Amino acid sequence: MRILISGGTVVTASGTLDADVLVDGEKIAAVAGREEGGVQGAPGGRSAVQADQVIDATGKYVLPGGIDAHTHMEMPFGGTSSADTFETGTRAAAWGGTTTIIDFAVQAKGSSLLATLDKWHAKADGNCAIDYGFHMIVSDVNDTTLKEMDACVTAGVNSFKMFMAYPGVFYATDGEILLAMQQAARAGALVMMHAENGIAIDQLVAQALAAGRTSPVHHGLTRPPELEGEATNRAITLAKVAGCPLYIVHLSAAHALDAVTEARDAGQNVFAETCPQYLYLSLEDLARPDFEGAKYVCSPPLRTRDHQAALWRGLRTNDLSVVSTDHCPFCFKEQKELGRGDFAKIPNGIPGVEHRMDLLHQGVVAGEITLPRWVEITATTPARMFGLYPGKGVIQAGADADIVIYDPAAQQSLSAATHHMNVDYSAYEGMQITGKVDMTLSRGRVVMEDGEFRGPPGHGRFLSRDLCQYLT
Ligand code: URP
Ligand code: ZN
Ligand code: ZN
């Protein structure tokens, strides 16, 4: 099957080009600037080429499919499980122009990493609409686990998330983190850190609850940005001692960004992502009355608005190099409800896998980031960071034909009534968006077009990933 995408503006991390794109089977076969005549057979091109389908992308952007490097489908948390399955969550991702996710396999205390990996394969394999990989959450550091990290790397899972938060659940001590970092360093793997000082936070939470401060806003007030900054500094120090590359996940606070910036300026292999919720939502949302604030409970929490300018600046300076969603949906009814009367029992997480490309496009519209930077932070850098480039994250000959046709002028309003995520609310309800995905191709298959999902079930393949491509 040969598909010709003609008339569009190809946007990559390095710039824009009026070009035609020829897809042959699962791969991009050619990208040809129209000034040079375009791909043969395209309108305005030099001469006829056989294509089974011609897609007219006039007036549209032609983007590499988005890569969301931080999702939680079917994730057990706080006595419940995140509401999107791999099937529903990856379908929603494709609707929003994301063609690859990297989800987290979660080691339960007492279980092995390899058994965990098998369990996550059983959930995902044959069910995903788009390609997918895994990171591994390490919550039980012991001799067996440390050895198994090498086997995970061999199995294409070479990034290990650890937690300085959630004592008694995922929390690891500084000593355990150091050991895991040393092991990861030997294997060339990346440690990803949830950097919040969970020990101190738990004291603040206990004080708040004892004083009767039980509503959702206190989730935010008991997790101050200083405790994210402190933990980020500590993680960076531990990584330096261990000689391990470090990736800070879901960075939300200027305090943490300062620590990352300083480490990067000093030449350390430290990287960080932020998420759309920290760019667009705030502590004011957590303070919504009638328990509505529960919809916005995630960790780290939403911050005061002044942090947002720092995050946008970090995205421009590359101290923040990736935007992922941390998609972790819990329904308002029945799931978020678990924490009515005790904010500490509200399952942590916000849905967003469908809206990342659109939300970050608003950053282009508002002049916060350039068009190529939009593609870089949502597709190209995640591909390089997590060992998927140049198969993913770029429009060039030889790459997978993961392609999004994006209409930059379309208008839409985000709503739970129209989104495709399996969750009963939208954190962005009523938000007006400029731009919309017209069509999504996953490895040469049109999986979404004309407002209809056309992807064959189980089309998505597991991606065994190479090592991070930024390490010096
Ligand atoms: O609140 C969040 N972020 N939920 C998902 C788990 C995590 O820490 O990433
Ligand atoms: Zn986390
Ligand atoms: Zn997460």
Side-chain angles (χ1 to χ4, degrees), residues 1-79:
M1 174 81 173
R2 281 153 74 92
I3 300 175
L4 184 65
I5 302 169
S6 72
T9 300
V10 173
V11 186
T12 68
S14 45
T16 59
L17 181 68
D18 290 331
D20 301 333
V21 178
L22 183 66
V23 173
D24 193 353
E26 296 195 343
K27 300 281 182 192
I28 295 173
V31 181
R34 281 192 294 283
E35 290 228 322
E36 287 80 48
V39 172
Q40 293 182 348
R46 285 177 297 226
S47 60
V49 70
Q50 296 297 323
D52 304 294
Q53 186 183 353
V54 178
I55 295 168
D56 181 8
T58 305
K60 314 274 169 64
Y61 297 149
V62 180
L63 314 171
I67 298 176
D68 190 341
H70 188 153
T71 66
H72 302 279
M73 309 301 174
E74 306 180 36
M75 180 197 174
F77 190 96

Side-chain angles (χ1 to χ4, degrees), residues 132-173:
Y132 60 98
F134 294 132
H135 312 287
M136 176 62 70
I137 286 179
V138 180
S139 63
D140 196 350
V141 177
N142 55 51
D143 287 348
T144 312
T145 302
L146 290 170
K147 285 200 194 86
E148 283 186 313
M149 286 172 70
D150 288 349
C152 288
V153 173
T154 307
V157 176
N158 49 44
S159 36
F160 299 91
K161 184 179 176 191
M162 302 193 77
F163 287 77
M164 300 169 119
Y166 303 122
V169 189
F170 298 129
Y171 174 83
T173 65

Side-chain angles (χ1 to χ4, degrees), residues 225 228-229 232-233 236 248 251-265 270 272-274 307-315 317-321:
E228 187 184 343
T232 305
N233 267 302
I236 288 168
I248 303 290
L251 188 149
S252 72
H255 305 62
L257 181 55
D258 287 347
V260 168
T261 303
E262 193 181 319
R264 289 175 59 79
D265 288 350
V270 172
E273 66 175 17
T274 191
H307 290 269
Q308 293 173 356
L311 298 183
W312 282 114
R313 191 171 57 247
L315 286 172
T317 60
N318 203 38
D319 291 310
L320 293 170
S321 45

Side-chain angles (χ1 to χ4, degrees), residues 302-439:
L302 302 178
R303 303 296 184 190
T304 50
R305 289 211 174 271
D306 48 310
H307 290 269
Q308 293 173 356
L311 298 183
W312 282 114
R313 191 171 57 247
L315 286 172
R316 288 190 292 274
T317 60
N318 203 38
D319 291 310
L320 293 170
S321 45
V322 172
V323 176
S324 312
T325 57
D326 194 8
H327 174 75
C328 193
F330 295 102
C331 288
F332 184 59
K333 291 198 193 84
E334 288 175 16
Q335 294 192 296
K336 293 285 185 180
E337 280 287 346
L338 295 169
R340 207 181 262 280
D342 179 352
F343 67 83
K345 294 202 170 79
I346 301 169
N348 286 201
I350 291 187
V353 74
E354 190 169 346
H355 300 319
R356 185 180 62 121
M357 301 302 288
D358 284 332
L359 287 166
L360 269 294
H361 185 245
Q362 304 321 290
V364 178
V365 173
E368 295 282 6
I369 51 172
T370 64
L371 203 48
R373 184 67 179 152
W374 175 46
V375 167
E376 192 167 32
I377 60 183
T378 55
T380 313
T381 299
R384 289 189 157 126
M385 189 70 70
F386 297 107
L388 295 170
Y389 188 90
K392 306 283 190 196
V394 65
I395 303 265
Q396 69 182 25
D400 282 356
D402 288 357
I403 299 174
V404 171
I405 314 290
Y406 195 83
D407 181 350
Q411 297 291 318
Q412 56 168 322
S413 172
L414 302 186
S415 172
T418 49
H419 74 203
H420 302 87
M421 299 176 287
N422 186 36
V423 60
D424 63 358
Y425 76 94
S426 172
Y428 305 97
E429 187 67 41
M431 184 168 170
Q432 284 301 123
I433 296 282
T434 298
K436 194 168 194 289
V437 175
D438 242 24
M439 189 184 286

